[in-house]
Amino acid sequence: MAIREVLKMGDPRLLEVSRPVAPIDAETLAPLLEDMWDTMAAENGAGLAAPQIGVTQRVVIFGYQTNPRYPDAPPVPETVLINPEIEALGDAREDGWEGCLSVPGMRGVVSRYRDIRYRGFDQHGKPIEREASGFHARVVQHECDHLDGILYPFRIADLRRFGYLDTLIGQGVIELQPCDDEA
Ligand code: NI
């Protein structure tokens, strides 16, 4: 289909709460999902949420077998997740560097639940329920935040750990490109 423009932070559309998809119909969703996969692939993203291309529906995609931007990240199954819900499994949290295609060229440290269960539906309306930890859990939490109008910089507790990727790498603050939908 098409590589779509990714909205950038500052665009009020990224702050909207997206609406649930009902009914879930694969044929109706196909053009949106094709555009999302094409756009995510073009940017080497780990995930993408529909509102990032201006569609305020509760649809996210994520996953890859290998990603040149995250050579050390474990694979995450390629997933379409519609009307998602996330439940924390325990109180454990982890700090990690995140980026976002809507906040290009920057990275910041965000605290996320380490272990989660997520539920939702695929494009055929088939239920999905999985437990995830670490990077996988981080990507899902990041993408689902987009559906509530939340961008990762809103969650940075210490803005001293927020900056330009080139500088962070150049100064040895971070070694490689960590979690990004960029996540
Ligand atoms: Ni993002």
Side-chain angles (χ1 to χ4, degrees), residues 2 8 22 28 30-31 38 54 56 58 63 98 101 127 140 151 156 161 170:
K8 303 295 190 294
T28 307
D38 287 351
T56 48
R58 301 187 82 81
E98 294 188 17
L101 297 175
V140 175
L151 302 172
I156 298 174
R161 294 199 289 173

Side-chain angles (χ1 to χ4, degrees), residues 47 49 52 99-103 142-143 146 151-152 180-183:
Q52 291 183 276
C100 180
L101 297 175
S102 295
V103 192
H142 176 117
E143 298 311 330
H146 278 293
L151 302 172
Y152 84 84
D180 208 297
D181 28 75
E182 254 191 53

Side-chain angles (χ1 to χ4, degrees), residues 14 42 50 59 74 79-80 99-100 119 125 130-131 144 149 152 173:
L14 288 171
V59 177
T79 301
V80 171
C100 180
R119 296 185 178 87
R130 287 189 196 138
E131 294 183 5
C144 291
Y152 84 84
V173 178

Side-chain angles (χ1 to χ4, degrees), residues 16-174:
E16 291 180 21
V17 175
S18 292
R19 61 187 180 281
V21 178
I24 295 171
D25 177 69
E27 202 172 327
T28 307
L29 287 163
L32 169 65
L33 291 170
E34 278 194 53
D35 284 0
M36 288 177 70
W37 285 115
D38 287 351
T39 303
M40 187 179 115
E43 306 279 356
N44 285 324
L48 190 74
Q52 291 183 276
I53 58 168
V55 177
T56 48
Q57 297 189 39
R58 301 187 82 81
V59 177
V60 302
I61 63 170
F62 53 85
Y64 50 85
Q65 290 307 304
T66 60
N67 186 320
R69 294 178 56 180
Y70 318 111
D72 296 332
V76 174
E78 293 184 342
T79 301
V80 171
L81 190 63
I82 297 169
N83 300 342
E85 291 175 22
I86 295 176
E87 172 191 353
L89 297 177
D91 296 327
R93 302 182 72 97
E94 274 178 352
D95 283 346
W97 288 92
E98 294 188 17
C100 180
L101 297 175
S102 295
V103 192
M106 302 199 76
R107 295 293 185 281
V109 172
V110 179
S111 169
R112 300 284 188 188
Y113 289 112
R114 188 187 65 196
D115 308 299
I116 63 170
R117 176 180 294 123
Y118 62 89
R119 296 185 178 87
F121 301 89
D122 72 8
Q123 67 269 42
H124 304 290
K126 184 179 158 203
I128 293 171
E129 177 175 342
R130 287 189 196 138
E131 294 183 5
S133 296
F135 185 81
H136 183 172
R138 177 173 297 277
V139 170
V140 175
Q141 289 172 85
H142 176 117
E143 298 311 330
C144 291
D145 263 357
H146 278 293
L147 306 180
D148 292 323
I150 298 168
L151 302 172
Y152 84 84
F154 307 169
R155 293 200 183 276
I156 298 174
D158 180 356
L159 284 164
R160 289 172 294 194
R161 294 199 289 173
F162 182 45
Y164 294 96
L165 177 62
D166 290 352
T167 303
L168 291 164
I169 291 175
Q171 294 298 315
V173 178
I174 60 179

